[in-house]
Amino acid sequence: MSTPEPINSKHILVLTKWYPNRMDPQLGIFIQKHLRAIAQFHRVTVFYSCADPNKETDEMEFESYQQDNLSEYIIYYKPSEGLFSAIKGGLKYYQSWLIFKKKTGIFNDKNSRPDVLHAYILLRTALIAWIESKRYGIPFFISEQWSGFITGKALQKPFYWRAMSKWIISMASGVSAVSSFLKTKLEVFSGRNDIEVFYNIIEPTALTESNSTLETTNILI
């Protein structure tokens, strides 16, 4: 049974480049924590697709998980090889997006259609979010966590990636970064000066008192 949605809650469709998966359960864990927090107040649907180096067939695998108001959909596909592997990988990614749309029917009616599209980490996620925002008249937002904008790796990307990234950032209804330092670097990169900061979530742990005393001293070093 899912948790009832709060009054005036929104349906947020998230497209993320990083997310915990069967190859790496820690990848994008902070993004998942963001979305779990948001799901306390809104309905959240997650689309994540990635290449699985262990896949031997070309058939894509579709997995789904439901926890209260958070729905997670993960699609695995076989990695592309050869001279045009990057282009082939991009096509497979978009194909997985079409599979997600067909299986979930998320845009089929107004009740299931999202109110907001939220792309985590450039660039594929934001491009698809922009396409669907134009098609259905839904605002889209971008959140960035990549440290490459701080280390300078973003500037080492091909020209087309940098140009498209700057353009897609300018098209978004809103942009956020995970730290103040990243916000500053992202503003320099994009020329946009209204980027907000949403920090990563640190979950508190319960503290318990202990009346025990150490009778011996343990020397570690």
Side-chain angles (χ1 to χ4, degrees):
M1 179 181 297
S2 62
T3 301
E5 295 181 21
I7 298 175
N8 298 324
S9 70
K10 302 294 184 182
H11 181 192
I12 303 171
L13 173 55
V14 176
L15 302 86
T16 178
K17 184 177 179 180
W18 304 336
Y19 211 67
N21 58 80
R22 65 191 182 193
M23 288 83 69
D24 188 350
Q26 291 298 313
L27 181 66
I29 190 69
F30 288 113
I31 295 174
Q32 188 180 56
K33 289 183 178 182
H34 265 177
L35 302 184
R36 286 177 176 174
I38 294 171
Q40 296 181 50
F41 307 97
H42 302 280
R43 177 184 172 193
V44 179
T45 301
V46 182
F47 164 77
Y48 173 68
S49 179
C50 67
D52 181 353
N54 298 315
K55 272 189 65 60
E56 297 180 352
T57 65
D58 292 326
E59 184 179 1
M60 295 190 178
E61 294 183 49
F62 185 91
E63 296 181 352
S64 62
Y65 306 92
Q66 181 74 40
Q67 182 180 359
D68 297 328
N69 290 326
L70 177 62
S71 303
E72 301 167 313
Y73 297 92
I74 300 177
I75 299 179
Y76 299 98
Y77 54 86
K78 185 179 179 181
S80 299
E81 299 177 353
L83 183 61
F84 301 103
S85 59
I87 297 177
K88 293 177 182 177
L91 292 175
K92 286 184 178 181
Y93 185 85
Y94 188 67
Q95 182 184 356
S96 67
W97 168 252
L98 296 179
I99 291 174
F100 162 80
K101 287 178 62 177
K102 182 177 180 179
K103 282 185 173 290
T104 61
I106 195 167
F107 293 103
N108 288 353
D109 60 71
K110 292 183 178 181
N111 292 327
S112 63
R113 189 172 298 175
D115 302 293
V116 175
L117 295 164
H118 195 154
Y120 266 85
I121 319 298
L122 297 169
L123 175 63
R124 292 176 181 175
T125 56
L127 289 175
I128 292 179
W130 173 76
I131 291 172
E132 302 299 354
S133 74
K134 289 296 183 182
R135 180 175 295 168
Y136 297 103
I138 302 171
F140 86 97
F141 295 80
I142 297 173
S143 287
E144 189 56 69
Q145 294 201 358
W146 185 41
S147 61
F149 291 99
I150 297 174
T151 63
K153 288 184 178 180
L155 298 178
Q156 298 172 7
K157 287 277 194 177
F159 171 77
Y160 73 85
W161 187 95
R162 287 180 279 124
M164 292 183 71
S165 294
K166 291 178 182 180
W167 173 78
I168 202 70
I169 289 174
S170 71
M171 297 299 293
S173 298
V175 182
S176 69
V178 78
S179 70
S180 298
F181 193 35
L182 180 55
K183 159 189 160 71
T184 301
K185 294 294 185 180
L186 199 56
E187 286 179 340
V188 172
F189 172 84
S190 66
R192 186 164 180 158
N193 58 9
D194 61 345
I195 296 175
E196 299 186 51
V197 177
F198 294 138
Y199 295 104
N200 280 330
I201 293 174
I202 299 177
E203 296 174 317
T205 57
L207 298 177
T208 57
E209 290 189 13
S210 175
N211 295 323
S212 62
T213 58
L214 292 176
E215 297 180 356
T216 59
T217 299
N218 296 317
I219 300 176
L220 301 179
I221 300 178

